[in-house]
Amino acid sequence: MVQEESQREWIKGNARHITFIVTENCQLRCKYCYITGKNSIKKMSFDIAAKSVDMILDMPQLVFGNEGVVWEFIGGEPLMEIDLIDRICDYIKIRMFEMNHPWFNSYRISISTNGLLYSSPKVQKFIEKNSKHLSIGISIDGNKEKHDSQRIFPNGEGSYEEVLRNVKLWLAQFPEATTKATISHDDLPYVKDSVLHLWSIGIKYVNMNTIFENCWEDGDDLIFERQLTELADEIIANKYYNNFYCSLFDRSLSEPVIKDGNDSNWCGAGKMIAVGCDGGFYPCIRFIDYSLNNKPGLKIGDCKTGIDKNLLRPFETLRKSTQSSMECMDCEDSNGCAWCQGANYDFADSDTIFQRATYICKMHKARVRANKYFWNKLDRIKNGK
């Protein structure tokens, strides 16, 4: 599979990520969304945002070791608060200039959106104003059947047609843009056709993953494996691997596990900051109350007092080995097996971040089997065998 071009990488990933939750509201009610506490009441004020920016820019420990910063805006649906985002971004740029901050001119603005408001005049004005430092991702799940089975309005209607109207403009402005599609139990039969569809409408780089929640049923792994092997056949037959990318296929998944290899944490929680509507600082958005079903939100500080290093200390000790069972550590398919730290916390038996949820175990093993099929077949064809 073609990998993302080097120019799409930004300072080789060595950037601090700061995420602002500007609203907890959204026009959609996606069935698989981990944000189960959407509401029209909580949204960030400019005063909270400004205090957070000032606090963050004045914390030298955040700058050390990071060549730049990614200022991310998320919701709910962030473009519902485009005026606020525009004002915050202006403030960030002014403050970094005034402070002669190391991040001045070494920053990106990143927005994840459902795409419904993308073509609005205010959003387009913001894009034109910040185009040199801006990346925007629109969530489109695949073909109409898959997208509309999950990404729905409160009345149950699908959002595919309304999102698709804005995709052409989005790709014209961001030709190398990626989308992040999500797989759950109900839409498994559409995985293959969805990847092919996203490529056909001009999205070259498709990131797709299964949800971490406990939704999987007996036999889902076999459906998933069949979808991926059929997709593999299509990719090879049409040589799509020369021009397109899908994260579901990763050569490392087909390679032997190195037992004494990387013991790092899969997730970046604790190395980023998520700023809630109330000005609270969190390890990532999955630790904020509106993302949790079983546990209270887990703050590591706020915009008035900064970061409490004692609250952050447990995250500094997170490793694969400190939260995995021996079954996971010894697993022959453990390459690329992901987890979400916030989901681990929410699903754990106690208020711990050191208990790894393994609901995707069978789904990951199905992906590994499909990857071995794909890479073995591709290598044989390329080698003329």
Side-chain angles (χ1 to χ4, degrees):
M1 299 287 289
V2 65
Q3 296 298 312
E4 300 185 37
E5 300 295 333
S6 59
Q7 65 263 29
R8 297 185 66 253
E9 299 177 6
W10 190 65
I11 58 175
K12 298 180 180 179
N14 188 21
R16 178 71 63 173
H17 285 250
I18 312 294
T19 304
F20 289 87
I21 293 84
V22 291
T23 179
E24 295 186 2
N25 198 10
C26 184
Q27 311 100 313
L28 300 181
R29 295 296 181 267
C30 302
K31 295 177 184 177
Y32 54 58
C33 186
Y34 59 80
I35 300 174
T36 56
K38 295 185 181 77
N39 65 86
S40 58
I41 299 172
K42 292 184 180 180
K43 67 177 184 178
M44 185 174 286
S45 68
F46 176 73
D47 180 61
I48 287 292
K51 288 180 179 178
S52 300
V53 170
D54 288 340
M55 179 62 70
I56 289 166
L57 290 178
D58 201 35
M59 288 192 287
Q61 69 268 31
L62 295 184
V63 181
F64 180 75
N66 294 109
E67 297 177 38
V69 62
V70 179
W71 302 99
E72 298 177 318
F73 296 91
I74 197 169
E77 170 47 43
L79 295 186
M80 296 177 73
E81 296 294 332
I82 190 61
D83 289 336
L84 174 61
I85 293 174
D86 187 31
R87 193 177 175 191
I88 295 172
C89 288
D90 282 350
Y91 186 78
I92 288 171
K93 288 178 278 187
I94 291 170
R95 291 296 293 131
M96 289 195 300
F97 175 77
E98 290 174 342
M99 297 173 68
N100 192 25
H101 199 280
W103 288 341
F104 181 68
N105 251 345
S106 185
Y107 72 92
R108 298 288 294 174
I109 298 167
S110 176
I111 298 176
S112 298
T113 172
N114 60 32
L116 294 173
L117 296 174
Y118 186 84
S119 61
S120 68
K122 286 184 177 181
V123 172
Q124 287 301 302
K125 183 178 179 180
F126 176 85
I127 291 172
E128 182 179 2
K129 178 179 177 180
N130 296 281
S131 59
K132 292 183 179 180
H133 291 274
L134 181 65
S135 62
I136 297 182
I138 290 180
S139 296
I140 180 167
D141 252 11
N143 61 14
K144 180 176 173 61
E145 291 81 4
K146 184 179 186 309
H147 185 100
D148 282 350
S149 72
Q150 299 292 334
R151 302 188 66 81
I152 59 174
F153 290 99
N155 64 4
E157 293 182 0
S159 60
Y160 175 83
E161 296 295 344
E162 293 195 34
V163 175
L164 188 64
R165 291 190 191 104
N166 290 326
V167 167
K168 185 176 181 180
L169 174 61
W170 171 53
L171 291 176
Q173 294 172 328
F174 300 94
E176 301 300 304
T178 69
T179 192
K180 179 180 176 296
T182 303
I183 304 169
S184 64
H185 164 76
D186 294 336
D187 53 64
L188 273 172
Y190 307 118
V191 170
K192 180 198 74 172
D193 289 341
S194 289
V195 174
L196 297 174
H197 175 73
L198 292 172
W199 288 343
S200 74
I201 62 175
I203 303 174
K204 294 180 181 179
Y205 305 99
V206 175
N207 292 305
M208 186 175 281
N209 65 274
T210 57
I211 66 173
F212 292 98
E213 282 74 13
N214 185 18
C215 75
W216 305 108
E217 298 181 6
D218 290 343
D220 281 352
D221 55 325
L222 301 180
I223 298 173
F224 189 37
E225 181 180 4
R226 185 163 60 251
Q227 285 288 305
L228 292 184
T229 53
E230 290 177 2
L231 175 59
D233 289 337
E234 289 278 353
I235 291 171
I236 292 172
N238 295 283
K239 297 184 178 180
Y240 291 138
Y241 50 82
N242 288 324
N243 301 301
F244 300 102
Y245 169 82
C246 177
S247 64
L248 291 172
F249 293 105
D250 182 335
R251 186 176 284 275
S252 68
L253 296 182
S254 66
E255 296 173 348
V257 174
I258 301 174
K259 294 297 183 181
D260 58 350
N262 191 351
D263 189 33
S264 63
N265 191 30
W266 177 271
C267 169
K271 297 179 181 178
M272 60 185 80
I273 296 177
V275 185
C277 292
D278 61 353
F281 291 173
Y282 299 82
C284 82
I285 64 170
R286 290 299 300 261
F287 285 91
I288 299 178
D289 298 82
Y290 81 148
S291 297
L292 299 166
N293 293 305
N294 306 305
K295 301 287 180 10
L298 187 60
K299 287 185 180 181
I300 56 172
D302 58 53
C303 64
K304 296 179 181 178
T305 61
I307 292 177
D308 185 331
K309 292 182 179 180
N310 288 325
L311 295 177
L312 194 58
R313 203 176 303 279
F315 291 88
E316 296 174 351
T317 65
L318 279 170
R319 301 286 186 275
K320 178 181 179 180
S321 57
T322 60
Q323 58 190 301
S324 301
S325 66
M326 287 308 300
E327 181 181 4
C328 289
M329 293 299 295
D330 293 337
C331 180
E332 295 299 328
D333 295 326
S334 64
N335 283 347
C337 188
W339 59 87
C340 167
Q341 213 63 57
N344 286 354
Y345 167 68
D346 198 25
F347 304 150
D349 298 327
S350 62
D351 292 344
T352 180
I353 59 173
F354 294 98
Q355 181 178 328
R356 179 176 167 186
T358 57
Y359 299 127
I360 66 167
C361 180
K362 288 185 177 181
M363 302 302 287
H364 174 71
K365 290 180 178 180
R367 182 182 169 212
V368 170
R369 294 193 298 271
N371 267 262
K372 290 178 179 178
Y373 170 86
F374 172 73
W375 294 108
N376 287 336
K377 183 174 182 178
L378 182 60
D379 288 343
R380 287 198 305 272
I381 290 174
K382 285 187 173 182
N383 294 328
K385 296 180 180 180

